[in-house]
Amino acid sequence: MGPARPTERIVVVGASLAGVTLADAVRRQGFTGSLTLVGAEPRAAYNRPALSKGVLDGTATDADITLPPLTCDVDEIVGTAAAGLDVDRREVVLEDGRRIPYDRLAVTTGARARRLADLGAADPGVHETVFRDLDDARHLAAALRGRPKVVIVGAGILGMELASVCAASGAAVVVVDRQPPLLAQLGRYLSDLLADAASAHGVELVHDPAGVRLRGTGTPVVELAGGGRIEGDLVLSAVGCAPNVGWLARTGLLTDGGLRVDARCRAAPGVVAAGDVAAFPVPGGGHRRTPSWNSALEQGRAAARTLVDGDDAPALVPSPYFWTEQFGLTVRICGELPARGTPALLRGGPPSDGALLRWSDAGGGATAAAVNTRMPIARLRALTRPEPVPLEVQR
Ligand SMILES: Cc1cc2nc3c(=O)[nH]c(=O)nc-3n(C[C@H](O)[C@H](O)[C@H](O)COP(=O)(O)OP(=O)(O)OC[C@H]3O[C@@H](n4cnc5c(N)ncnc54)[C@H](O)[C@@H]3O)c2cc1C
């Protein structure tokens, strides 16, 4: 792919963090041709991480969570999903039948909540509740006013953040998973830390290695494969997310149901992808989606460079950064996850009072976490290098 010419048309499909970042970066790169952004949601792009935090606990308003509007020259088509892609004619086909021609295409359609039904673990007709968008957050916030008993299936990041807000609202909360909370995502040390915090906040953690099944109709009952049933007024599935690639079916762009990109975010000639939808190359081979705020930002910027500069654009070297807020703990992490082994305590004491932790890996790099400790991300990231620089930590 060569550099983009001013007569070319760029179309970006998916108008959340990755899409908005990409569209803005395309203009910043100096592209003066036609730029169109297509988004399925009928509202301005918003900060999705706030949904399971400030939106749910009522401390964040719509204005607080709205992403800064695009100030560059972009044709925005909102509230209309792309239903298909005509690769031969280079046209995005919208659900209302319109066709949007492109010369270069960016796919930033993100992900949807995975359901237990998708995994074959729900009875037909079960009413499954998930949490992914602003409407989901508003519905759950309203339901919490009745102080229901909430059962959450999935003790990953989302499930535990939901448990935290639900418990703080006065709801009785049970979280069920095959594994201890956050073990697969964050590693043993942080798993233990956050599980202890959850228990201290009254959340019941249930662990069944054999998994669960949703039974019944209407509000389901959670049946443990190892025996036993858990009932609640509200049952939430928080079992990960799946890429929004249905509209790309039969285009030849998908591999094993996913959209793979290379280190320049190229999915095919003239097509880039970024954010939760994109499976990025991982060291040692293979591809993996990295659904996080920071990945969507850095991939959005990298994909924009590729769209504008073509094959001369630099390869993206990811700088993993992630954060979560739950049970009175704010954890910010730089480096590869899950973090294995016991970390060195660089600063602080009991993590709830503020601590800086560092896990060394065999390759000389490291993962660093700041727990209830405010510090610039660049400084936290510096701790992931082989020789950490001294830090002044601001609490
Ligand atoms: C509740 C919640 C809490 C989170 N908390 C954190 C956190 O604490 N820390 C962190 O690092 N990350 C967090 N994340 C992850 C982070 O929000 C995502 O990684 C980020 O939003 C990804 O941005 P994206 O633009 O790639 O995808 P998305 O935000 O999923 O946006 C994709 C957009 O594309 C649209 N779309 C889909 N299909 C089509 C179509 N066919 N046509 C047109 N438009 C389409 C969708 O409607 C959506 O607006 C959280 C996510 C959720 C859901």
Side-chain angles (χ1 to χ4, degrees):
M1 185 161 51
R5 294 183 303 276
T7 49
E8 289 193 75
R9 298 156 300 184
I10 291 179
V11 176
V12 182
V13 182
S16 181
L17 180 64
V20 168
T21 302
L22 193 153
D24 183 59
V26 157
R27 285 293 187 223
R28 285 177 194 267
Q29 291 297 317
F31 177 71
T32 54
S34 151
L35 176 60
T36 303
L37 178 62
V38 178
E41 291 188 80
R43 51 175 68 93
Y46 54 89
N47 174 344
R48 212 170 286 279
L51 300 180
S52 51
K53 304 172 184 72
V55 174
L56 197 53
D57 72 15
T59 56
T61 64
D62 285 6
D64 293 334
I65 68 163
T66 303
L67 295 182
L70 282 166
T71 51
C72 54
D73 179 16
V74 184
D75 293 327
E76 294 189 60
I77 301 175
V78 293
T80 309
L85 185 69
D86 187 331
V87 178
D88 294 335
R89 296 175 66 170
R90 295 197 162 218
E91 289 174 344
V92 175
V93 183
L94 302 186
E95 58 186 351
D96 61 11
R98 274 182 288 170
R99 288 176 164 258
I100 313 293
Y102 67 87
D103 298 296
R104 298 178 186 224
L105 174 71
V107 178
T108 52
T109 43
R112 60 186 166 79
R114 188 184 289 135
R115 293 170 183 269
L116 283 160
D118 299 335
L119 306 172
D123 284 353
V126 113
H127 178 70
E128 197 168 352
T129 304
V130 295
F131 191 98
R132 178 77 197 180
D133 63 23
L134 188 53
D135 291 336
D136 297 334
R138 286 181 176 147
H139 285 135
L140 181 57
L144 288 177
R145 287 186 208 118
R147 300 200 173 200
K149 176 178 178 186
V150 183
V151 183
I152 299 171
V153 180
I157 304 289
L158 177 62
M160 293 296 279
E161 287 193 354
L162 295 179
S164 174
V165 180
C166 291
S169 78
V173 183
V174 183
V175 183
V176 196
D177 201 314
R178 289 174 189 269
Q179 294 200 9
L182 301 164
L183 181 64
Q185 295 84 2
L186 302 184
R188 173 64 67 184
Y189 181 91
L190 292 172
S191 166
D192 287 349
L193 176 71
L194 293 165
D196 288 349
S199 298
H201 282 73
V203 172
E204 182 185 350
L205 300 173
V206 177
H207 172 202
D208 185 337
V212 305
R213 183 172 186 87
L214 299 186
R215 290 282 191 203
T217 51
T219 301
V221 171
V222 179
E223 184 179 86
L224 305 177
R229 292 157 72 88
I230 307 174
E231 292 185 33
D233 305 309
L234 198 59
V235 176
L236 293 170
S237 298
V239 291
C241 61
N244 285 322
V245 291
W247 66 287
L248 297 173
R250 293 180 296 282
T251 57
L253 288 174
L254 304 181
T255 307
D256 297 333
L259 184 59
R260 294 183 182 173
V261 297
D262 65 11
R264 290 176 174 78
C265 296
R266 293 174 296 198
V271 182
V272 299
D276 283 12
V277 73
F280 197 80
V282 288
H287 289 75
R288 195 180 64 203
R289 291 188 309 111
T290 48
S292 74
W293 178 267
N294 191 62
S295 293
L297 270 185
E298 58 183 16
Q299 289 178 14
R301 292 179 187 135
R305 290 282 303 261
T306 299
L307 278 180
V308 177
D309 294 342
D311 296 336
D312 292 338
L316 170 63
V317 180
S319 305
Y321 167 69
F322 179 78
W323 83 98
T324 182
E325 296 165 27
Q326 47 186 281
F327 307 109
L329 297 172
T330 297
V331 185
R332 297 184 176 84
I333 307 168
C334 287
E336 294 298 331
L337 288 170
R340 301 188 194 284
T342 305
L345 179 65
L346 301 186
R347 195 70 67 91
S352 56
D353 294 342
L356 198 53
L357 307 161
R358 184 176 190 269
W359 293 256
S360 301
D361 67 36
T367 295
V371 184
N372 284 5
T373 300
R374 289 179 52 210
M375 66 188 304
I377 301 305
R379 290 191 153 205
L380 189 60
R381 187 161 285 139
L383 289 170
T384 66
R385 296 185 195 124
E387 289 300 322
V389 294
L391 287 162
E392 285 169 24
V393 179
Q394 187 191 351
R395 286 221 195 122

